[in-house]
């Protein structure tokens, strides 16, 4: 593609720059207007709005970009001029973000992510016309990968759709997720932070309702039990409805597609997200199936991505390739990305025969400590925590029976869980480091654990660790993985 003259952002970009500054004042304004509470000093910053308007307009006139045959050159800065020359082959990801206001005005925010550098506003183009943003995204995605990368020799191909989520699947996702509980907890915490009376008023209202209807519910302890069950049922229904709403807002229109080099995701009802993930950036995989998901025969699939160092992209270091899908859909996604025969694992190897003891003893010792403290304070009633010992024993036995690992076909995989199951796996060539660890308890039982580090390991995902192996077997696995990394 030949060079073209420099271009400016969309004429309304200054408005979005200004709105981005004003967002931090929206919550204090709402609290002050509708509750008469909150800190009025938080509104003093609004005095600077008169200054921010001309600065936002100046940024629009000073920000220019030019698209060349293999690169994009961005010039920005009013007093401190910056010129950033970014080769397409160095751009790891380009995403389009559209809020409700963006969609109404036909624009999009474009984020360019490279492999290095600090958080730079030049990597965030706020905003372009939606057609121009899509054209820029297509140009960058169609550029060749750097020579020497594993997928560089793969021929370009049309995208194929791997997964689409209809509304009925999103309803199931809302029913089996706990996002409603998290959102309500966050709302209650925010209410208390701003000294709202809403949580207290809710509890008083519920208590008053129970007192007013105690005659309808009957008398005695049974009435209070029935009333409590009704309140719990109402709360559960409300949480499910909130979870369903969150699933619809976040994942409406979810489409996962793939070409020879990238996975692309489009989702969102009000706020639209359109982003792509190069296959070479996928580091590790997490497959989960909670108790409710097992009832619906559904799974959730995520991947760890080698995110750039830009702060605004850190939240996208974990990609939900399949928020909800059945077994066939999961196998199709994984089979499209990983080499043939890697997944599903043909044979899972067991842990140490006494692995259940390592799972049981530490929680049991902790429970005994809690029991001793309770006995000193409450006498014989303090022995009640001991009722958890049989459950810990049964749970540890079943967990050890279901746990296992596999190292074959260039893949290292771990499975754990009983009521809720999860699988963690990665290609051996993506493992950055491997080390063997033994605690005093492990040495006593002749066990060891092998840890595999990948990029972004430990950032909200379970560790890729093969726990409680016989020591000799752990050493052998460690040496095999170390040799594979060295190659």
């Amino acid at each position: 593609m030949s060079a073209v003259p420099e271009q400016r952002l969309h004429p309304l970009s200054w408005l979005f720059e200004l709105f981005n500054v004003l967002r931090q004042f929206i919550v204090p304004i709402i609290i002050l207007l509708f509750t008469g509470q909150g800190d009025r000093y938080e509104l003093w910053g609004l005095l600077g709005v008169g200054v921010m308007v001309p600065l936002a307009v100046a940024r629009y006139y000073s920000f220019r970009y030019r698209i060349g045959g293999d690169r994009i050159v961005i010039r920005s800065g009013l007093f401190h001029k910056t010129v950033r020359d970014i080769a397409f082959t160095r751009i790891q990801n380009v995403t389009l973000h559209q809020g409700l206001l963006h969609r109404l005005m036909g624009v999009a925010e474009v984020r360019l992510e490279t492999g290095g550098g600090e958080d730079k506003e030049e990597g965030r183009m706020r905003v372009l016309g939606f057609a121009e943003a899509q054209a820029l995204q297509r140009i960058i995605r169609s550029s060749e990968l750097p020579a020497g990368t594993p997928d560089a020799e793969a021929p370009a191909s049309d995208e194929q759709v791997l997964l689409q989520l209809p509304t009925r699947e999103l309803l199931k996702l809302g029913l089996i997720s706990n996002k409603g509980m998290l959102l309500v907890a966050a709302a209650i915490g925010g209410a208390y932070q701003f000294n709202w009376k809403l949580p207290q008023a809710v509890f008083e209202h519920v208590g008053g309702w129970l007192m007013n209807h105690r005659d309808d519910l009957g008398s005695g302890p049974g009435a209070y039990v029935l009333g409590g069950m009704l309140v719990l049922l109402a709360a559960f229904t409300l949480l499910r409805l909130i979870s369903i709403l969150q699933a619809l807002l976040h994942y409406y229109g979810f489409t996962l597609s793939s070409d020879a080099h990238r996975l692309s995701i489009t989702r969102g009802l009000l706020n639209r997200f359109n982003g792509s993930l190069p296959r070479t950036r996928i580091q590790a995989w997490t497959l989960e199936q909670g108790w409710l998901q097992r009832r619906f025969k559904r799974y959730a699939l995520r991947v760890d991505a080698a995110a750039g160092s830009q702060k605004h992209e850190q939240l996208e270091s974990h990609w939900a390739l399949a928020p909800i899908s059945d077994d066939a859909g999961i196998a199709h996604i994984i089979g499209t990305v990983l080499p043939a025969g890697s997944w599903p694992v043909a044979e899972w190897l067991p842990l140490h025969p006494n692995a259940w003891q390592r799972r049981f003893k530490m929680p049991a010792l902790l429970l005994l400590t809690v029991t001793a403290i309770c006995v000193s304070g409450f006498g014989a009633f303090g022995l009640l925590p001991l009722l958890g010992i049989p459950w810990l024993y049964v749970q540890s036995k079943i967990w050890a029976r279901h746990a296992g690992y596999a190292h074959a076909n260039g893949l290292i995989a771990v499975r754990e869980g009983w009521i809720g199951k999860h699988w963690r796996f990665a290609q051996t060539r993506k493992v950055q480091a491997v080390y063997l660890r033994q605690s005093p308890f492990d040495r006593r039982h002749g066990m060891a654990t092998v840890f595999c580090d990948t990029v972004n390991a430990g950032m909200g995902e379970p560790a890729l660790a093969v726990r409680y192996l016989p020591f000799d077997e752990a050493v052998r696995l460690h040496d095999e993985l170390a040799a594979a990394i060295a190659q």
Side-chain angles (χ1 to χ4, degrees), residues 100-171:
L100 183 58
L101 188 59
H102 292 85
R103 299 178 67 183
L104 290 175
M105 296 187 175
V107 297
E109 179 179 311
V110 181
R111 298 179 184 177
L112 305 178
E113 180 188 346
T114 60
E118 298 177 355
D119 185 23
K120 298 291 185 182
E121 280 300 312
E122 290 79 14
R124 178 181 292 191
M125 304 173 72
R126 187 190 296 128
V127 290
L128 295 180
F130 188 61
E132 289 80 4
Q134 286 184 312
L136 177 60
Q137 188 182 54
R138 285 194 297 269
I139 292 172
I140 295 175
R141 287 184 179 181
S142 62
S143 63
E144 294 182 355
L145 293 177
T149 57
D151 295 331
E153 302 302 324
S157 60
D158 295 333
E159 285 192 344
Q160 60 169 320
V161 175
L162 301 181
L163 177 66
Q164 284 184 320
L165 295 182
T167 303
R168 64 176 180 276
E169 287 296 304
L170 297 181
L171 294 178

Side-chain angles (χ1 to χ4, degrees), residues 162 285 287 301 329-339 342-344 425:
L162 301 181
W285 302 68
L287 180 63
L301 178 66
I330 294 295
H332 180 54
I333 295 171
I334 299 177
T336 301
V337 180
L338 295 183
S342 300
W343 190 268
F425 52 96

Side-chain angles (χ1 to χ4, degrees), residues 203-273:
F203 289 122
E204 291 178 351
H205 181 76
V206 171
W209 182 88
L210 290 175
M211 292 299 295
N212 292 333
H213 293 79
R214 59 184 177 182
D215 293 335
D216 299 332
L217 298 175
S219 59
Y224 291 99
V225 172
L226 178 59
M229 292 177 62
L230 291 175
V231 172
L232 291 177
L233 178 61
F236 176 81
T237 303
L238 177 62
L239 292 175
R240 292 301 102 184
L241 291 175
I242 295 175
S243 294
I244 291 173
L245 178 61
Q246 191 274 341
L248 290 172
L249 291 175
H250 195 71
Y251 291 112
Y252 182 82
F254 182 96
T255 302
L256 172 67
S257 56
S258 171
D259 60 19
H261 306 305
R262 299 173 181 268
L263 300 176
S264 300
I265 293 177
T266 302
R267 57 170 173 78
L269 181 59
L270 299 180
N271 297 330
R272 295 291 290 174
F273 170 84

